[in-house]
Amino acid sequence: MTAERTLFLSFIVIALILAVLVMIAPYRAMSFYMDCGNDRRALDSADIYINLHKGKEHGYSDKYADVLYSASELAVSMAESGNMRAAESGNRYIETYLAIKDIDERNKRIDEYNLLHSSPVLHPALFSVRAYLENAAYRCRLMSGETERITFDMSASDAVRLFGQNIVSADFDRICIVLQNLSSYCEAGNDITSGVYAEIYLSIKAAFPSIRNFVVVAPAENNMQLLRQCYYAGTVAAFVSYMYATDESGDWKTMDIMGDSSVSEWYDNTLMDAYLGKYNL
């Protein structure tokens, strides 16, 4: 009995120590729980840290940005398991993270690290951490039924205007984020040709010949430019694959396939072949 009582008291002491650690050193507590694989407690600790430091001025290289990024990943992972509270937190963390001044300087470093430490086959999917976070946040919003904001800075009507204008190179990063988010909308079993995004759908359909011509061009010589082409074409191809499942699939096949190749085939057989060839793969 004495040994059991001692063991019980030891657990109580450890729990109290961890509780105190969370309150006085939430960053260390977050790191500890992440190392232990306890995502829920890690997220709780991160949330305490974020609340303690919100409202202050933060830079892209400080600990606050690091905690927000980690909290975003933890919350999105839990949201994907059906945790609605985590979905709401994930969207909030990502929006706060992306609003930090000059945060794209940090994102650029993350992109560079991801490309350096992954197979070239995966590079198009790892091209932009901003695009990944925007899409993760949108998926979190979708879980709670929020569809008005297609991206953090664009409403549905803003997206209609984006595709209704003359599309130029500077627009394509934003276009890809919209297309990725709409692909997630379709993946969730929704019909894009009617309902809340019907106007966006019609504007994309009208603009698609220009979009297709933009991505189906001769491969660039510069590695990063070629990778950007792969990212653009892969994003467009993924979106079109969902359009093939709509009642208007015939229209999309007519627009998508010109000559001997679709955008997907151009991506696989031309752009990716050229990119992987630079790595002798």
Side-chain angles (χ1 to χ4, degrees), residues 197-253:
Y197 292 145
E199 284 190 67
I200 301 179
Y201 168 75
L202 290 175
S203 66
I204 294 173
K205 187 177 178 183
F208 187 75
S210 296
I211 294 171
R212 187 189 190 283
N213 291 341
F214 187 89
V215 298
V216 183
V217 294
E221 291 297 322
N222 177 281
N223 252 29
M224 284 306 296
Q225 291 176 344
L226 179 53
L227 177 57
R228 183 179 293 273
Q229 280 183 264
C230 291
Y231 163 66
Y232 288 161
T235 300
V236 172
F239 173 77
V240 172
S241 72
Y242 288 104
M243 298 305 97
Y244 275 29
T246 69
D247 291 339
E248 300 190 356
S249 59
D251 293 344
W252 284 94
K253 288 178 182 177

Side-chain angles (χ1 to χ4, degrees), residues 27-172:
Y27 181 81
R28 291 183 180 230
M30 181 193 75
S31 300
F32 169 77
Y33 283 121
M34 286 179 69
D35 289 342
C36 294
N38 190 334
D39 289 353
R40 185 179 297 276
R41 294 296 291 155
L43 186 58
D44 289 342
S45 302
D47 194 64
I48 290 172
Y49 182 95
I50 291 165
N51 287 328
L52 284 172
H53 293 85
K54 68 181 180 181
K56 303 174 184 177
E57 187 173 342
H58 298 285
Y60 67 87
S61 61
D62 67 17
K63 194 178 290 185
Y64 183 74
D66 182 48
V67 174
L68 274 170
Y69 186 82
S70 296
S72 299
E73 289 194 310
L74 290 166
V76 169
S77 177
M78 291 169 62
E80 288 173 346
S81 299
N83 188 318
M84 285 296 299
R85 182 180 176 187
E88 293 171 3
S89 297
N91 179 64
R92 184 175 71 255
Y93 294 144
I94 293 171
E95 185 167 19
T96 305
Y97 171 83
L98 291 177
I100 294 174
K101 183 180 178 181
D102 296 327
I103 195 61
D104 280 331
E105 289 298 318
R106 186 180 195 274
N107 291 338
K108 180 181 177 182
R109 296 176 188 178
I110 295 173
D111 291 337
E112 290 171 350
Y113 178 89
N114 288 341
L115 295 179
L116 187 62
H117 294 86
S118 64
S119 166
V121 175
L122 301 176
H123 285 181
L126 298 172
F127 177 75
S128 171
V129 71
R130 171 175 278 275
Y132 160 76
L133 290 171
E134 281 268 14
N135 181 247
Y138 176 79
R139 286 186 280 111
C140 286
R141 293 196 298 276
L142 197 57
M143 286 181 63
S144 59
E146 184 191 337
T147 55
E148 172 56 24
R149 287 191 302 170
I150 192 65
T151 72
F152 281 129
D153 66 348
M154 273 193 287
S155 65
S157 56
D158 292 329
V160 171
R161 285 192 290 272
L162 173 65
F163 289 98
Q165 66 189 19
N166 181 39
I167 294 173
V168 295
S169 177
D171 298 324
F172 236 79

